[in-house]
Amino acid sequence: MRDEAVKDYIRQRSGLFWYSPEDKGETVPDDLLVEQVLNYGTLDDVKDLFRVLGVAKVSDTFFKSLSLSERRKNNYSPITVNYFTLLFNRYV
């Protein structure tokens, strides 16, 4: 079950999950949440994601997603992959 802080975070950024019905937005899995925020969110969105989920969990989710398959890896923009790989390798 989701923490209320995560649900609130998703509700505040519902524009990142435009393709999900309103009542299903809070149920997006962590890998999709991380992917959408890192790809399309603002710097403040990323900072708040780190605060809500924790930097270590976001890092784990990011690297697991990259290691699943080439198709999954291509869901991230090359700039996003480069930047967050460098950031997580340095600080996590």
Side-chain angles (χ1 to χ4, degrees):
M1 190 158 156
R2 285 232 179 234
D3 183 10
E4 194 59 38
V6 176
K7 288 181 182 180
D8 189 46
Y9 176 85
I10 293 170
R11 271 187 240 117
Q12 291 175 0
R13 289 151 184 88
S14 61
L16 292 174
F17 307 99
W18 55 269
Y19 51 83
S20 294
E22 288 284 327
D23 60 335
K24 302 288 185 194
E26 297 173 3
T27 62
V28 296
D30 286 345
D31 59 337
L32 183 59
L33 174 63
V34 169
E35 179 184 313
Q36 288 297 105
V37 172
L38 296 186
N39 268 331
Y40 307 112
T42 64
L43 183 57
D44 288 333
D45 293 339
V46 174
K47 283 190 225 176
D48 288 341
L49 181 67
F50 290 165
R51 182 184 52 76
V52 171
L53 285 182
V55 178
K57 183 168 182 168
V58 174
S59 174
D60 288 344
T61 304
F62 174 75
F63 285 122
K64 281 181 189 172
S65 183
L66 291 182
S67 68
L68 287 177
S69 70
E70 204 50 42
R71 183 194 68 76
R72 188 79 173 136
K73 182 177 182 178
N74 289 331
N75 287 344
Y76 287 101
S77 71
I79 292 170
T80 300
V81 171
N82 184 51
Y83 178 79
F84 286 103
T85 299
L86 293 171
L87 181 104
F88 292 141
N89 283 338
R90 177 155 185 159
Y91 295 107
V92 178

